[in-house]
Amino acid sequence: VDSKRQVLVLSFGLAARRQKNGDPYMTMVPGVNQYVHQYHVSVPQGFQQNYFAIMVKKGSKSSLLLDNGRISSKNTVSESSVTVKGQDYVVLTVMVNQGVHRVETKDRSRFGLMIYGHGHDDGYGFAANILGPGKL
């Protein structure tokens, strides 16, 4: 989404009725001006499938760390490219376990992080930067 004026962007996750997995949810999508270089997030319990959607500058992808280690290709569900105001970004979807996680870049470049998941007739999603500072 590109605009000359301020906008609020929402993402609406749809239910996957054929698989009886998930339920609709809606979350705000942060703008690139709200990205930070490090997140401490909690993935809720009770969902069978949990994911991080990570939006990072293409040149900083190799700098990404999940829980102090590189992101495993076996946990990467998808990868796509997008250009925002002339800057190339990579969007990674990564499968994660429930619990507390730390996601950061070694080069301290700012990136976006969305957390979402599905359970039996249930779903959730939120932007990592809405949690704010403090203990999890």
Side-chain angles (χ1 to χ4, degrees):
V1 174
D2 191 14
S3 175
K4 293 179 182 178
R5 303 185 64 133
Q6 293 182 347
V7 296
L8 176 64
V9 178
L10 298 172
S11 173
F12 189 73
L14 299 174
R17 288 289 172 219
R18 282 181 269 141
Q19 300 172 348
K20 297 200 184 303
N21 217 9
D23 203 27
Y25 60 88
M26 183 170 53
T27 186
M28 289 190 295
V29 178
V32 294
N33 63 324
Q34 297 172 342
Y35 289 0
V36 296
H37 76 276
Q38 183 182 81
Y39 298 90
H40 294 264
V41 296
S42 182
V43 174
Q45 296 180 8
F47 296 89
Q48 292 79 26
Q49 299 170 323
N50 303 287
Y51 302 95
F52 286 166
I54 303 169
M55 292 71 66
V56 64
K57 289 180 182 175
K58 187 176 182 180
S60 295
K61 177 185 164 193
S62 62
S63 179
L64 271 173
L65 296 175
L66 172 58
D67 299 328
N68 296 316
R70 298 191 67 136
I71 295 175
S72 169
S73 60
K74 71 177 183 166
N75 291 341
T76 302
V77 176
S78 69
E79 181 175 334
S80 59
S81 298
V82 65
T83 301
V84 178
K85 296 191 179 196
Q87 178 68 56
D88 292 329
Y89 284 83
V90 174
V91 181
L92 299 169
T93 302
V94 180
M95 194 174 357
V96 295
N97 294 323
Q98 63 188 19
V100 177
H101 297 280
R102 178 177 169 163
V103 188
E104 62 188 320
T105 51
K106 290 187 293 188
D107 66 0
R108 299 180 61 84
S109 61
R110 297 157 71 97
F111 65 99
L113 177 62
M114 304 280 292
I115 297 103
Y116 68 98
H118 312 283
H120 181 71
D121 289 335
D122 203 3
Y124 73 92
F126 57 93
N129 64 348
I130 64 162
L131 299 176
K135 294 182 180 179
L136 293 174

